[in-house]
Amino acid sequence: MFHRKMMQNVHLAPEVDEDDLYSGYNDYNPTFDTEDLENDVAFQQAARTSHGRRPLVTAKIPGTSASRPLATGFGDGVARPMTAVHAAGYTKAAVRGSSFDPLGQARGPAPPLEMKNSDSSEEKIRQLEKKVNELVEESCIANSCGDLKLALEKAKEAGRKERVLVRQREQVATPQNINLDLTYSVLFNLASQYAANEMYAEALNTYQVIVKNKMFSNGGRLKVNMGNIYLKQRNYSKAIKFYRMALDQIPSVHKEMRIKIMQNIGVAFIKTGQYVDAISSFEHIMSTSPNLKAGFNLILCYFAIGNGEQMKKAFQKLIAVPLEVDYDDKYISPNDDPHTNLLIEAIKNDSLRQIERERKSMAEEYIMTAAKLIAPVIETSFAVGYDWCVEVVKASHYVELANDLEINKATTYLRQQDFNQALETLKMFEKKDSRVKSAAATNLSFLYYLENELAQATNYADLAVNSDRYNPAALTNKGNTVFANGDFEKAAEFYKEALRNDSSCTEALYNLGLTYKKLNRIDEALDCFLKLHAILRNSAQVLHQIANIFEIMEDPSQAIEWLLQLISVVPTDPHVLSKLGKLYDNEGDKSQAFHYYYESYRYFPSNIEVIEWLGAYYIDTQFCEKAIEYFERAALILPTQVKWQLMVASCYRRSGNYQKALEKYKVIHRKFPENVECLRFLVRLCTDMGLKEVQEYMTKLKKVEKLKEIREQRIKSGRDGSARSRREGNTGGENGGTKGERLSARLKALPGTSEPYESSSSKEIDASYIDPLGPQAERPKTAARKRTDEDDFADEELGEDLLPE
């Protein structure tokens, strides 16, 4: 608008100076008055659009013309141009019809910006310094991410480039211009990365470079880091030396740092067994700035030297340490304001709240551990000492721990197997608040469950659940009592509810897997145990259950794989080794089966199944002499079973040692004169060896076989001696005497009987007692060669069940 107005009046204006566009307007155009610029809408609009701000109003000078501008140094009578308008391009040329050129493009392009010389020394130094800082940052980030090797590599590279930077700076500038802060950060980071990678010698050397350089004003504090390294190396004397040197160089205003260093000194003294010196350090800490760790360590020192009175005082000091954590009151809304409730819900489980919980849990753990430690030694008995600790806790701001200490007292009674005291202690909590009542009832239920008193266990489990429905231990115990009564479906529901309340309750998850096995829900049981394995990686019970489930699912390869993991956890478990041997045997891998069966026998040489398999393996591989060792051990374990002694005699006979075999059969006959197989072998051996005793043994064999026929007939006719004995109350039959006595008398009455009946078990001879490995036994199919008739007869006592399939 202002421009149009000016162009309309341009014919009235004479030629004026080009530098001052508005200098003659007041003389020739009375309608344009500079004194009224503030009210001139057109001028204000032009001023705002030309430069974005209003121009200054020309000041008036008393005694001069109102239209004369203020002199600015351009000379007398020369007015200063209005720069806002001038800069926008309002010149005389523009008035005469020239194009509007606010940027001055008509005068030609602006000269280009001066480019920095990338080859200059200063620029190279600046870029190199930037690269060093980047490498230090990358090293720190890698360390925080757990990649310690990469962090060390970046720290080393930063150190190399920093040395190059120092040399370049020395060439172009004075040494005073060297960046000491950058050098310090590079060396400190390098030493830290060496320590993180357990390269302690290199870390100490790097710290020495910093500490010995007097230009680093705070380098002396790094002696704390050096002391920590010596502590990790178990060089406690040097650690104490460097801690004390650091303590001397840290001002007294840094109280927290000095307390931490003194605490480290006390720990180092404990490691060296200098408990008196450690006590002086911890006592100083507890008198100036008490904390939980120092108080607990002080109790440990007094316990080590056996000073009961000082233990009491130290425990009282530990109880007096302020927790510095607000309790749950601040997380309870004082009113029903929705905004306040929303805010409390937001901060109830934030990171700060978690830190508070951790500190509170740590304080409770220190107090509980200290009480359990000193209770047996500060008074005449454990119970009196624990009662003293409980009274002290009740008088402190840790009053909530008193009930936990009482329950812990009952648990200690359990560990000491003093069940009566444990029950009495726990029963005192039946009238307490719900949380304590639930905990006590849970322990009582556990106690009665162990004693197999299911009724009491069920009652207290119900009490625990009713007191606190969200107690996973109570729900687990309730599920155990239901499981013991055979209601597996209901037990599974209790275990599931316990897991809903606490997903980390491993007992409930394990029991749920067992319940699913009982219900034949194998896939769900496997899922439970696999989840549990993800939580408890090295649990032998869990690994065994998984292997057993795969065995039930007829997947022997998976079962073997899990059992191999199991023996890596329990390498000396004989039952696991024998199970592996059995699985490999079923798969046809005899060499692996022998290896694991032999390892099982080495750790537990009394397992009859393992002994039987090993003996049969050696017979199958034609090493009968080695089989004798295993069958003799089986005969020692089960001396009343004739089977194993017959095995030993058979091994002698197979190996060609007929004299030993004959002696062994005679011994067996003296112990078991009614054994038909032994008599048959005696007859056969005496016949082959041409001995005179053959007629005697043939007579005995006929008598025993006849007696056997009589017994079989009596069994068929329903006149079995054992049934009659039950009817007659085992008082002897019509002929009087016991069954063994009657049988012995009958054997003595037979003609040609040279030895009386001697049976250690006084068993009557019937069809079930006759050795089943008689002439009906087939020849083993795994035999490596065709035997003679004598060998076929010799295999009769082995039977197919002894040989590996």
Side-chain angles (χ1 to χ4, degrees), residues 591-773:
S591 61
Q592 286 288 352
F594 171 75
H595 169 72
Y596 287 109
Y597 270 125
Y598 181 76
E599 288 295 309
S600 176
Y601 173 79
R602 192 161 64 90
Y603 290 116
F604 183 58
S606 300
N607 191 330
I608 293 296
E609 293 181 1
V610 174
I611 293 172
E612 185 176 5
W613 192 94
L614 288 171
Y617 175 81
Y618 279 119
I619 291 175
D620 187 39
T621 54
Q622 307 301 321
F623 291 100
C624 299
E625 298 86 350
K626 292 186 177 180
I628 293 173
E629 171 191 348
Y630 298 101
F631 292 135
E632 285 181 342
R633 180 170 290 275
L636 286 174
I637 297 171
L638 300 173
T640 61
Q641 289 189 10
V642 69
K643 172 183 177 180
W644 307 111
Q645 301 184 44
L646 290 173
M647 294 287 189
V648 175
S650 177
C651 289
Y652 281 125
R653 184 171 47 80
R654 287 167 178 270
S655 61
N657 196 342
Y658 297 108
Q659 186 62 38
K660 274 274 190 181
L662 180 62
E663 293 175 1
K664 187 64 179 177
Y665 281 125
K666 287 181 179 180
V667 172
I668 296 172
H669 176 65
R670 283 195 296 270
K671 291 182 179 179
F672 304 95
E674 76 283 359
N675 188 269
V676 177
E677 302 303 323
C678 179
L679 288 170
R680 286 175 180 171
F681 284 120
L682 282 172
V683 170
R684 185 60 179 267
L685 283 174
C686 290
T687 303
D688 293 344
M689 298 174 68
L691 299 177
K692 296 179 180 179
E693 295 97 328
V694 62
Q695 188 63 36
E696 177 184 348
Y697 290 124
M698 288 182 67
T699 304
K700 291 182 179 180
L701 178 60
K702 290 178 182 179
K703 292 177 182 178
V704 173
E705 287 178 345
K706 185 176 180 180
L707 187 60
K708 178 181 177 183
E709 291 176 1
I710 295 172
R711 294 300 299 165
E712 289 176 352
Q713 290 176 0
R714 294 180 63 184
I715 291 172
K716 290 178 182 179
S717 62
R719 292 183 290 110
D720 181 67
S722 60
R724 187 175 66 250
S725 176
R726 287 194 298 271
R727 290 193 303 270
E728 296 174 357
N730 292 329
T731 59
E734 54 187 358
N735 298 325
T738 63
K739 294 180 291 184
E741 292 172 350
R742 295 196 306 274
L743 182 59
S744 178
R746 192 179 300 121
L747 282 173
K748 291 179 182 178
L750 293 174
T753 303
S754 58
E755 295 178 359
Y757 171 69
E758 297 177 1
S759 176
S760 59
S761 58
S762 298
K763 292 183 179 178
E764 61 178 326
I765 300 177
D766 55 15
S768 63
Y769 188 69
I770 296 299
D771 189 68
L773 303 174

Side-chain angles (χ1 to χ4, degrees), residues 23-192:
S23 59
Y25 262 69
N26 289 336
D27 295 334
Y28 299 101
N29 189 2
T31 61
F32 188 85
D33 188 4
T34 58
E35 294 182 359
D36 199 28
L37 289 178
E38 292 182 357
N39 299 324
D40 194 306
V41 179
F43 178 83
Q44 295 298 330
Q45 181 66 24
R48 281 194 294 271
T49 56
S50 63
H51 199 265
R53 61 184 179 88
R54 297 177 59 179
L56 297 174
V57 180
T58 305
K60 293 183 181 181
I61 300 177
T64 62
S65 174
S67 62
R68 184 178 178 84
L70 182 65
T72 58
F74 286 92
D76 294 335
V78 181
R80 178 179 179 182
M82 299 178 65
T83 56
V85 180
H86 182 73
Y90 289 101
T91 62
K92 184 177 180 181
V95 176
R96 292 177 178 175
S98 301
S99 60
F100 182 65
D101 186 19
L103 299 179
Q105 295 179 357
R107 303 176 215 164
L113 296 175
E114 182 179 355
M115 300 296 293
K116 292 184 178 180
N117 186 5
S118 60
D119 295 333
S120 65
S121 300
E122 290 294 334
E123 183 64 20
K124 288 181 179 179
I125 290 173
R126 192 181 67 81
Q127 292 295 332
L128 188 57
E129 185 173 331
K130 181 180 179 183
K131 181 64 177 176
V132 171
N133 282 314
E134 290 176 354
L135 287 171
V136 172
E137 291 178 3
E138 291 173 4
S139 175
C140 296
I141 292 172
N143 182 281
S144 64
C145 295
D147 194 347
L148 303 180
K149 186 176 180 181
L150 178 62
L152 181 58
E153 291 176 358
K154 294 289 184 181
K156 288 181 179 180
E157 187 178 354
R160 290 192 293 268
K161 290 189 177 297
E162 194 275 334
R163 288 192 292 273
V164 174
L165 175 62
V166 170
R167 287 195 294 269
Q168 290 187 5
R169 281 191 179 276
E170 289 176 348
Q171 292 175 1
V172 300
T174 58
Q176 287 77 8
N177 293 330
I178 295 175
N179 191 346
L180 290 176
D181 292 337
L182 181 62
T183 304
Y184 181 87
S185 63
V186 169
L187 291 173
F188 177 70
N189 179 61
L190 180 60
S192 299

Side-chain angles (χ1 to χ4, degrees), residues 406-433:
E406 289 281 3
I407 293 178
N408 202 298
K409 178 182 176 181
T411 307
T412 308
Y413 279 130
L414 285 179
R415 293 194 181 96
Q416 295 176 352
Q417 298 184 356
D418 192 348
F419 297 108
N420 294 328
Q421 287 291 338
L423 289 172
E424 291 179 6
T425 306
L426 290 172
K427 286 181 179 179
M428 294 190 305
F429 292 97
E430 293 185 11
K431 297 182 180 180
K432 297 280 185 178
D433 61 85

